[in-house]
Amino acid sequence: EPRCRQQLRHLQDSAGSAARLPPRLCEVRPGPEFLTRSYLFYANRLFKALQFYYWDPSCRDPSYSLVIKGKLRLRQASWITRGATEADYHLHKVGIVFHSPRAMREVASWINQTSGEGCRGFLPAGRSWAPGALYEVLSAKTERDCTAALGFAMHELSLVRVERRFQPLPQPQQSGSQLVEELYLGDIHTDWGERLHYRPTGYQRPMQSALHHVHPCPACGIISRADEHHPPILPARAALPMQLSGSWVSTHCEVRPAVLFLTRYFTFHGSNHTWEGHYYHYSDPLCRQPTFTIYASGHYTQGIPSSKVQGGTELAFKVTQARVTPMDQVTVAMLNSSEAGSCGLSGSWSAGVEQDITPTNGCLALGIRLPHTEYELFKTEQDTQERSLLYIGERPTDGSSPDSPDKRPTSYQAPLIQCAAASEEFSNYISLKYVGRKDANGNEALKPLPVAFLLFIALLFLRWD
């Protein structure tokens, strides 16, 4: 049975996780911003968060570090994003340490230009760079807040989820398993102007527990030992040429803003620059309760290096054909009540039956327009086990499409893993058997996060200054 089919089946049979990847800890946020993070939560609800920013996407050339202190209070299970817990946070203070004169000049000019009266003189003109000096950019005590110019907000703490699981030991000769803990925090809005007041409904890539992380993880120890004066310098990685041909599949159930849960499966034919993609949508964060499936196909352009996101490749994808399969009665009813001629044959939809929506130029009810061009950002990498990963541009948070060059993404979604090389490509439609898992009481397998679960203990005890 092809590996791609196995991987998709495994996603449903293993609590929504498969092909667990060592974490890529140099993060790319919209902008682009390149950073690593190290957060410590205390039993008394205080937290200390370190964010290290870099000039480069390999996180080897530090720009500045933020040290963020405050208090976090978990509230109730989120009624918007299933499986998440809502939280309130209060910032006590935020300090910044510059790692070069250039960083100091740039940040000072942002703050002096865009902040209010209280921040104008954040750094006097001509002030020379002092390595290791800590400058306060936010203080609850003095009610001073100069962070807006940095695009800084901690709204990610308002949506929280911890996942714990046991994973087989990495070496084949080792028996047994190890505990892995991952912390999912709220997503960052793709529009810089919206991120200061956006309340998350999706997640960023998970953070790893310093004690219980996915192995191997060469960067985990480097980051956990770092502080604001000594930012982590991650191991060098060879840049790989873009190798798109072949088949790629999700490694876990993916969460998008506005409560979308899905898995993806793509095949790219490099010989004639055509592609096909399957998008399996679900109503739950374990990807057990299917709602609808989209099959789309078309062609793509030759890639060119991105001028905005170092290491990324810009492509344009044309979607020319699409088919939809409703998988539950709610979706069937919605499609059958859609305007005549706007989504396949009116009133003819039924569960599990695929229908071509190309003749109606897409499906208005699902927001699909045909033909349609998307301006994309791609990147291929190899992980520490030499598996090929494909990063595709992050979707706009507002649910729109990157249908013009100025909407091209500057950050990435969770990676897909290569499940078949170019020579093994297959394009037969994958049909999955959907099985919902329940516990002994008939409840869903996923529970809201208990309060005690957030005591996410780091390898190094950081002193509260």
Side-chain angles (χ1 to χ4, degrees):
E1 190 174 18
R3 278 177 295 160
C4 301
R5 194 189 301 263
Q6 284 179 337
Q7 167 74 353
L8 283 165
R9 285 238 171 92
H10 191 49
L11 283 176
Q12 292 201 311
D13 296 339
S14 60
S17 64
R20 282 293 172 172
L21 303 176
R24 185 190 192 282
L25 294 178
C26 184
E27 303 175 60
V28 185
R29 282 187 176 179
E33 283 182 332
F34 310 114
L35 77 156
T36 57
R37 295 177 293 155
S38 174
Y39 292 5
L40 182 60
F41 299 93
Y42 297 87
N44 60 1
R45 300 196 303 207
L46 294 174
F47 69 86
K48 179 176 181 177
L50 294 167
Q51 294 183 351
F52 308 101
Y53 291 82
Y54 302 80
W55 299 110
D56 67 304
S58 302
C59 292
R60 292 183 54 76
D61 185 7
S63 165
Y64 63 89
S65 299
L66 296 178
V67 54
I68 304 137
K69 297 179 180 181
K71 196 159 198 172
L72 183 74
R73 184 173 67 91
L74 294 179
R75 290 168 56 213
Q76 69 277 345
S78 171
W79 59 273
I80 298 176
T81 307
R82 288 175 65 183
T85 296
E86 293 178 359
D88 290 328
Y89 70 91
H90 178 69
L91 297 182
H92 296 156
K93 54 185 176 179
V94 179
I96 188 167
V97 176
F98 302 106
H99 302 305
S100 69
R102 175 189 166 198
M104 184 178 189
R105 279 194 310 272
E106 284 204 8
V107 173
S109 69
W110 298 341
I111 292 176
N112 290 339
Q113 285 168 25
T114 58
S115 300
E117 286 299 322
C119 298
R120 283 255 162 77
F122 171 67
L123 284 178
R127 176 80 174 269
S128 60
W129 173 62
L134 180 72
Y135 302 93
E136 199 170 72
V137 287
L138 179 147
S139 167
K141 206 172 278 183
T142 63
E143 298 184 350
R144 185 181 193 224
D145 183 358
C146 307
T147 59
L150 302 171
F152 168 83
M154 286 300 284
H155 300 325
E156 61 194 85
L157 292 177
S158 62
L159 198 69
V160 179
R161 175 173 161 187
V162 169
E163 281 192 9
R164 300 180 87 214
R165 65 180 186 282
F166 285 91
Q167 178 170 293
L169 292 168
Q171 303 304 325
Q173 65 269 23
Q174 294 175 303
S175 60
S177 60
Q178 61 188 10
L179 175 65
V180 172
E181 284 188 328
E182 290 179 322
L183 173 63
Y184 288 81
L185 296 176
D187 61 308
I188 308 298
H189 203 289
T190 52
D191 182 340
W192 185 278
E194 297 290 328
R195 64 196 287 180
L196 295 183
H197 45 259
Y198 168 67
R199 293 292 165 169
T201 53
Y203 302 115
Q204 298 173 69
R205 297 286 308 285
M207 299 178 76
Q208 305 286 312
S209 163
L211 282 178
H212 307 294
H213 56 75
V214 176
H215 291 275
C217 178
C220 288
I222 296 172
I223 295 173
S224 68
R225 289 189 294 271
D227 61 38
E228 60 268 34
H229 305 292
H230 308 94
I233 310 295
L234 298 195
R237 308 176 66 150
L240 295 177
M242 184 67 159
Q243 298 285 359
L244 200 51
S245 293
S247 296
W248 308 80
V249 68
S250 295
T251 63
H252 62 281
C253 183
E254 299 171 6
V255 183
R256 294 236 182 108
V259 204
L260 286 174
F261 306 103
L262 78 160
T263 57
R264 298 172 291 152
Y265 163 61
F266 291 104
T267 299
F268 300 97
H269 307 278
S271 53
N272 59 4
H273 276 226
T274 60
W275 69 278
E276 47 197 316
H278 304 79
Y279 305 81
Y280 303 97
H281 289 259
Y282 304 83
S283 62
D284 69 296
L286 292 181
C287 288
R288 296 287 174 75
Q289 297 157 18
T291 51
F292 62 94
T293 295
I294 299 171
Y295 166 83
S297 63
H299 52 269
Y300 61 95
T301 61
Q302 186 78 38
I304 59 165
S306 170
S307 56
K308 259 191 170 180
V309 187
Q310 189 186 331
T313 300
E314 295 182 352
L315 301 104
F317 277 77
K318 189 145 192 181
V319 189
T320 52
Q321 291 183 300
R323 305 195 291 264
V324 170
T325 310
M327 300 299 294
D328 67 352
Q329 291 306 322
V330 174
T331 308
V332 169
M334 178 187 73
L335 295 177
N336 279 331
S337 62
S338 60
E339 192 182 329
S342 71
C343 187
L345 282 171
S346 304
S348 66
W349 293 94
S350 57
V353 179
E354 184 182 68
Q355 194 173 141
D356 191 354
I357 57 169
T358 312
T360 53
N361 298 322
C363 179
L364 201 61
L366 295 176
I368 302 168
R369 292 195 325 276
L370 296 173
H372 177 65
T373 300
E374 298 201 338
Y375 295 85
E376 265 300 356
L377 180 73
F378 274 49
K379 181 182 176 70
T380 51
E381 281 186 359
Q382 279 193 331
D383 70 7
T384 50
Q385 296 171 29
E386 296 191 352
R387 295 177 294 187
S388 294
L389 307 179
L390 173 64
Y391 290 83
I392 298 179
E394 195 170 350
R395 309 298 296 176
T397 306
D398 63 8
S400 65
S401 163
D403 52 10
S404 61
D406 62 306
K407 291 181 76 175
R408 192 187 298 275
T410 54
S411 57
Y412 301 101
Q413 298 176 58
L416 305 173
I417 192 166
Q418 189 167 41
C419 54
S423 58
E424 305 171 65
E425 287 174 13
F426 70 106
S427 58
N428 55 314
Y429 188 81
I430 291 182
S431 169
L432 295 177
K433 186 179 179 186
Y434 300 98
V435 183
R437 292 287 166 89
K438 301 203 171 178
D439 63 18
N441 301 318
N443 299 318
E444 289 176 313
L446 194 78
K447 298 282 197 307
L449 172 68
V451 171
F453 227 179
L454 192 63
L455 305 182
F456 211 64
I457 308 303
L459 189 61
L460 220 71
F461 186 82
L462 296 174
R463 185 170 57 86
W464 190 269
D465 299 325

